[in-house]
Amino acid sequence: MINEMSVQTIRNVFSVETGYRLSDDQIVNHFPNHYELTRKDLMVKNIKRYRKELEKEGSPLAEKDENGKYLYLDFVPVTYMLPADYNLFVEEFRKSPSSTWIMKPCGKAQGKGIFLINKLSQIKKWSRDSKTSSFVSQSTKEAYVISLYINNPLLIGGRKFDLRLYVLVSTYRPLRCYMYKLGFCRFCTVKYTPSTSELDNMFVHLTNVAIQKHGEDYNHIHGGKWTVNNLRLYLESTRGKEVTSKLFDEIHWIIVQSLKAVAPVMNNDKHCFECYGYDIIIDDKLKPWLIEVNASPSLTSSTANDRILKYNLINDTLNIAVPNGEIPDCKWNKSPPKEVLGNYEILYDEELAQGDGADRELRSRPGQSLGPKGGRSRDSGRTVLTTWK
């Protein structure tokens, strides 16, 4: 049987003290320590570790430009943990004192507890207030991350948006993951302005439906959502096909690299699969940024189209986890036949990539160039390393 479990139940099931042994016909919808990817602080920590390891190995992926920035692995905004990294953050803040930063509690979702700052005094005030209020409980001292705010987001109709993409992982070792074709954009209800006077207006800055649905201009018919296909068509017509293909290739690259970053530390239990909600922001230079990964992406629907999409998402996910509706068997090789993928497409298969099938797999995916900086780089005319498969 498939057990749909909350992250808390998963913690109990796999706990050393209270846990119990799952039988071969039981599979569950989270990996035991999924939080290595889905907690904001741990995701960043694992990606930073992954970069360092690749650098140590002399991998071409860890190549840097003349300013010391990663050419291929610079896909998460500069981020620090608070209170632990406070001094490092202050040092970075002083390098560009006019920048805006976004504070997020590590363990919360749906935009709860998020605020923007552009002065060090605001952090000091937060720290002071948090000691005397229930904002941060004294016992747990809730950790926050503070990230450089992407203040030049790509706007459509003057509004900021982000991408919610669904990614299914059936196994981490070897890594096998699938991208759901029917992702969507979530738009803010209020036109974007980088003006510091609007830093407190979350209807301008946060795309979470849990926040936007309370806005005066929220549209209950389309829910402020656009399909990824509509975004693609819009970008192809306004920016051109080549740069649009490159953008989507880079988004796929980011996702695969983030999964590779956590694969070594993930408890790859044979009873587990997981569908993640990836949140990506695209800036006005068409560079995608990984903002966060959700372990329990919302499956409630805000519109009629949303309901159909989420129903199909659940259906297609279960068809991959348990092909042909058979009794689950955690010992199977987790390679479902193509005909059961539904709206999913294979994003990365480590076993294929390590064999001769890597190039073949890449070529078989339409609109995909080789690697994140795909094919030939336009500026130099030289062929760039095929690195991501």
Side-chain angles (χ1 to χ4, degrees), residues 46 78 87 99 117 157 218 239 241 253 293-294 367 369 382:
N46 283 312
V78 175
N87 292 337
S99 52
I117 67 130
Y218 181 72
R239 302 290 189 105
K241 275 197 168 180
W253 155 265
V293 184
N294 298 273
S369 52
R382 66 188 172 91

Side-chain angles (χ1 to χ4, degrees), residues 331-360:
K331 290 178 178 166
W332 80 295
N333 69 1
K334 300 199 177 188
S335 283
K338 278 221 168 85
E339 52 272 18
V340 305
L341 297 186
N343 287 299
Y344 276 108
E345 58 186 355
I346 186 90
L347 180 61
Y348 182 76
D349 185 327
E350 194 169 8
E351 279 185 323
L352 265 182
Q354 285 168 350
D356 294 333
D359 286 347
R360 198 165 55 247

Side-chain angles (χ1 to χ4, degrees), residues 181-252:
K181 292 180 224 169
L182 307 180
F184 52 86
C185 311
R186 303 178 295 188
F187 281 84
C188 288
T189 51
V190 177
K191 288 200 171 181
Y192 180 77
T193 168
S195 161
T196 51
S197 62
E198 289 289 353
L199 280 193
D200 294 334
N201 187 345
M202 291 302 127
F203 295 124
V204 171
H205 297 287
L206 296 188
T207 58
N208 309 67
V209 174
I211 286 171
Q212 294 296 332
K213 68 183 180 187
H214 300 295
E216 280 175 33
D217 299 316
Y218 181 72
N219 182 310
H220 290 272
I221 295 166
H222 58 64
K225 289 178 179 173
W226 239 25
T227 64
V228 165
N229 282 344
N230 275 348
L231 173 68
R232 190 162 199 148
L233 288 170
Y234 171 81
L235 290 175
E236 284 177 354
S237 60
T238 54
R239 302 290 189 105
K241 275 197 168 180
E242 193 184 337
V243 290
T244 302
S245 280
K246 180 172 175 284
L247 164 67
F248 278 90
D249 207 32
E250 286 191 32
I251 290 171
H252 294 162

